[in-house]
């Protein structure tokens, strides 16, 4: 015996089959999840299709509860500065229209800043890392071996690198 369900139209339809009304869509289900509170229903004028669109940015936390997505501007700026340093981008990347559009799409609460602020953020990271290296070298109880290398490119750019090797407590 084949299972059937009532679609609310007074007709029973076999499970796994579409109703024979010429429609290619399944009947609309009840929306019982908390998530649907963040959606608004819109009707398209041309053909009367109904769409549910998200009206707010939400995220699921570890307890599987729905919460509004908050952004920390300090963490955002630090991650942008780390990306600038890691990939050797210019500071002006934070002012590029495409980058700003992507960030606004991901979170509309993001506050944009200028290349001078990006430079200041990169210098803060530099000074913080410099102090960390100084503290690590002060705690070394043994010797430190320094090696260097000089290199120049065909465009007359010259570089010197200094490497420190030491054994720490770890």
């Amino acid at each position: 015996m084949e299972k059937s369900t009532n679609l609310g139209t007074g007709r029973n339809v076999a499970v796994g089959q579409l109703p024979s009304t010429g429609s290619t869509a399944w009947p609309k289900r009840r929306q019982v999840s908390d998530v649907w509170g963040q959606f608004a229903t819109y009707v398209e004028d041309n053909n009367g299709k109904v769409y549910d669109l998200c009206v707010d940015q939400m995220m699921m936390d570890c307890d599987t509860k729905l919460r509004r997505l908050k952004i920390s501007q300090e963490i955002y700026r630090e991650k942008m500065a780390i990306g600038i340093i890691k990939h050797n981008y210019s500071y002006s990347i934070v002012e590029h229209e495409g980058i700003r559009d992507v960030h606004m799409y991901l979170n509309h609460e993001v506050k944009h800043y200028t290349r001078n602020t990006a430079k200041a953020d990169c210098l803060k990271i530099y000074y913080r890392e410099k102090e960390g290296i100084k503290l690590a070298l002060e705690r070394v109880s043994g010797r430190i071996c320094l090696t260097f290398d000089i290199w120049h490119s065909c465009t007359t750019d010259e570089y010197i690198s200094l490497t420190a090797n030491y054994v720490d407590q770890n």
Side-chain angles (χ1 to χ4, degrees):
M1 183 168 157
E2 194 173 291
K3 290 184 180 179
S4 66
T5 184
N6 187 338
L7 296 177
T9 59
R11 294 178 291 140
N12 287 334
V13 176
V15 174
Q17 294 180 357
L18 290 173
S20 60
T21 60
S23 170
T24 58
W26 287 96
K28 190 166 180 122
R29 293 192 210 175
R30 291 185 318 142
Q31 299 169 339
V32 295
S33 174
D34 293 339
V35 175
W36 289 109
Q38 301 302 320
F39 283 78
T41 301
Y42 295 96
V43 177
E44 188 176 296
D45 294 335
N46 302 10
N47 53 12
K49 287 187 178 178
V50 177
Y51 295 98
D52 291 317
L53 299 176
C54 184
V55 293
D56 201 4
Q57 293 180 341
M58 302 297 287
M59 68 179 212
M60 194 79 66
D61 66 1
C62 295
D63 300 329
T64 64
K65 292 184 180 173
L66 196 61
R67 302 197 184 201
R68 191 159 189 284
L69 180 63
K70 299 275 185 193
I71 184 171
S72 167
Q73 298 297 327
E74 293 81 25
I75 294 173
Y76 164 71
R77 282 181 38 191
E78 180 163 342
K79 289 193 175 291
M80 280 297 294
I82 290 170
I84 289 170
I85 293 166
K86 187 183 288 187
H87 299 291
N88 200 25
Y89 293 140
S90 67
Y91 299 128
S92 65
I93 192 169
V94 298
E95 296 176 341
H96 291 180
E97 183 180 345
I99 295 295
R100 287 186 170 191
D101 286 345
V102 168
H103 294 170
M104 284 299 287
Y105 172 74
L106 294 174
N107 191 312
H108 64 278
E109 292 180 357
V110 70
K111 293 178 185 169
H112 299 298
Y113 55 98
T114 64
R115 66 183 76 171
N116 294 329
T117 307
K119 179 181 177 182
D121 291 343
C122 290
L123 287 173
K124 273 191 226 175
I125 292 172
Y126 168 76
Y127 290 126
R128 184 179 66 212
E129 293 297 319
K130 182 178 174 180
E131 287 302 314
I133 291 172
K134 281 183 181 179
L135 290 174
L137 291 177
E138 284 176 2
R139 284 184 249 152
V140 173
S141 59
R143 296 181 180 180
I144 300 173
C145 176
L146 298 174
T147 58
F148 71 95
D149 188 19
I150 299 175
W151 180 82
H152 65 89
S153 68
C154 59
T155 60
T156 67
D157 292 332
E158 296 180 356
Y159 300 95
I160 185 169
S161 68
L162 180 66
T163 306
N165 296 302
Y166 60 91
V167 178
D168 61 0
Q169 282 85 13
N170 297 331

